[in-house]
Amino acid sequence: MAIAITKENFKSVVLESSQPVLVDFWAAWCRPCQMLGPIVESLSEEVKGLAVVGKVNVDEQSELANQFRIMSIPTVLVFKGGKVVNSIIGVRSKEELRKALGV
């Protein structure tokens, strides 16, 4: 299951992770986000032990959304070594997300 990422756990879950981290920025009212959600959840099970998969609710975590200049959702950011290495906007296939994650 994807980890709920908040400003309180962002540093430990994302920035300090020794594994690649995929972060899905989403909102409950967003139809494309609802389409991407099950794909992200499925991916999180497949990459367990290889990568971290998390979700940021932009309505509840506006500081994080602002920090990464999220202008449209869903937006997926991939972090490696605490830095953004990939950015994907919109609904994508699990294969595309996995490729972006690099695992």
Side-chain angles (χ1 to χ4, degrees):
M1 189 167 150
I3 299 167
I5 297 175
T6 65
K7 65 180 181 182
E8 289 79 20
N9 70 3
F10 185 82
K11 183 178 178 193
S12 64
V13 172
V14 179
L15 299 181
E16 296 174 348
S17 176
S18 59
Q19 299 176 324
V21 183
L22 181 141
V23 181
D24 173 23
F25 288 83
W26 70 287
W29 49 264
C30 165
R31 284 266 186 239
C33 299
Q34 291 172 0
M35 293 168 57
L36 185 63
I39 296 168
V40 170
E41 289 296 335
S42 177
L43 180 65
S44 74
E45 294 301 318
E46 286 184 18
V47 300
K48 203 170 267 183
L50 302 172
V52 175
V53 176
K55 296 173 74 72
V56 173
N57 183 322
V58 297
D59 289 334
E60 297 172 0
Q61 302 296 322
S62 59
E63 285 181 41
L64 285 176
N66 289 337
Q67 180 180 346
F68 291 98
R69 295 184 174 96
I70 303 301
M71 297 297 175
S72 65
I73 52 174
T75 292
V76 172
L77 299 180
V78 176
F79 292 80
K80 289 185 181 170
K83 305 230 182 303
V84 176
V85 296
N86 216 324
S87 175
I88 300 168
I89 297 173
V91 178
R92 299 292 164 75
S93 70
K94 184 170 25 173
E95 291 74 27
E96 286 178 275
L97 295 179
R98 188 172 185 140
K99 185 177 177 185
L101 195 49
V103 294

